[in-house]
Amino acid sequence: MMDSVFKTSCHVHPPIRGIDRSFFIETIMAQYTIQVYNQSGFPKSYVVFSEPPTVTSAGSQVQVFTNAWVTFPSVRNGGIDTLVYTDIIDAYWGTVPEALSPSVVVHQGGVAAVNTSSRDGVVFQGTSPAGFGTTTGGVANAGAFEIKANTDFTSDFNYVFGMAKPTGTGIPAPVATFAAEPNDTFEIIPVVKFYVADGAFTQGEIIDVKAFTTVPAEIDFTGKPQMTATVIQNANGSFAVQYS
């Protein structure tokens, strides 16, 4: 079973077990860097989050919530914090203490490494021990990965599904979350675009991206030869992005 237990919290995670990433490391060599440079004149906390994937079920759009993927707490003026990541993605499942909404934090769950190029899919078992089975190729639509839920749970279990990505430590953290429904199949198409905003969040926390008073910095390496994006918060609070 390619599955493991994690708990989302700021910078503290138990180890992920049972995930062989050697195939992905060998075949996906691109490595990207996001640097956040605080020139605001004040100590700041920052959050990195992703453009949400497109998720469909039976051809209908599914509501997707954005998670705080990586957090940089208390960056002093003149300070720099850095995230290094690759194209690797994971299917993930978790539990929530209440209905999905901003400020809710995803609790313990698990992940399975997936690859959209091979149209991977995983099946979720809701009864104990809950988790994903073996990853199977060729089951998802082009450009997507698939999560298929069994019939062995109900909404009372408070399960959620979504997409996760390894952080700079290599440990996956959720980037997008949606409600898990039994006996349903979800197609998830990732969007490779990231944002940086200022604010104090917990890793895995659902954030309201429309509530930011300062327009977040947008990072998109698509079609660019550069592999590093430096996000600068200026003295007027605005963001600028430089690629190198």
Side-chain angles (χ1 to χ4, degrees):
M1 180 177 291
M2 294 181 69
D3 194 48
S4 56
V5 174
F6 69 88
K7 183 173 182 180
T8 54
S9 61
C10 186
H11 297 296
V12 181
H13 303 267
I16 295 292
R17 302 185 300 274
I19 302 176
D20 181 4
R21 299 186 181 276
S22 58
F23 169 79
F24 299 94
I25 293 171
E26 290 172 2
T27 58
I28 304 176
M29 300 300 293
Q31 184 170 277
Y32 303 94
T33 299
I34 296 174
Q35 297 182 127
V36 180
Y37 184 23
N38 181 10
Q39 289 283 279
S40 69
F42 304 91
K44 293 278 189 173
S45 294
Y46 298 96
V47 60
V48 184
F49 60 96
S50 173
E51 181 81 13
T54 300
V55 181
T56 57
S57 172
S60 298
Q61 292 271 40
V62 174
Q63 184 178 14
V64 181
F65 294 84
T66 299
N67 298 88
W69 176 37
V70 175
T71 60
F72 297 139
S74 303
V75 180
R76 63 178 176 80
N77 182 53
I80 299 173
D81 221 329
T82 302
L83 163 67
V84 179
Y85 68 95
T86 68
D87 292 322
I88 292 174
I89 58 173
D90 297 89
Y92 101 87
W93 69 273
T95 60
V96 289
E98 56 188 293
L100 289 171
S101 63
S103 299
V104 170
V105 179
V106 177
H107 290 287
Q108 65 181 17
V111 298
V114 290
N115 190 334
T116 58
S117 297
S118 51
R119 300 164 42 221
D120 288 345
V122 289
V123 177
F124 177 74
Q125 171 183 300
T127 53
S128 183
F132 292 130
T134 303
T135 300
T136 303
V139 298
N141 293 329
F145 68 91
E146 180 181 282
I147 299 177
K148 183 176 182 179
N150 282 338
T151 60
D152 54 356
F153 67 94
T154 67
S155 60
D156 293 336
F157 285 68
N158 293 326
Y159 286 137
V160 294
F161 295 150
M163 187 177 83
K165 282 184 66 64
T167 62
T169 64
I171 298 175
V175 298
T177 300
F178 55 92
E181 296 184 27
N183 196 32
D184 210 342
T185 300
F186 300 91
E187 296 281 330
I188 301 99
I189 302 176
V191 178
V192 188
K193 187 182 294 184
F194 301 92
Y195 299 89
V196 173
D198 60 353
F201 295 91
T202 298
Q203 193 174 56
E205 179 180 347
I206 293 174
I207 57 180
D208 182 358
V209 298
K210 296 180 180 179
F212 291 114
T213 55
T214 301
V215 177
E218 179 182 296
I219 299 142
D220 187 355
F221 288 104
T222 304
K224 294 182 176 66
Q226 298 92 344
M227 308 295 281
T228 296
T230 300
V231 177
I232 303 167
Q233 186 170 33
N234 300 306
N236 65 358
S238 66
F239 288 102
V241 181
Q242 297 176 353
Y243 293 93
S244 60

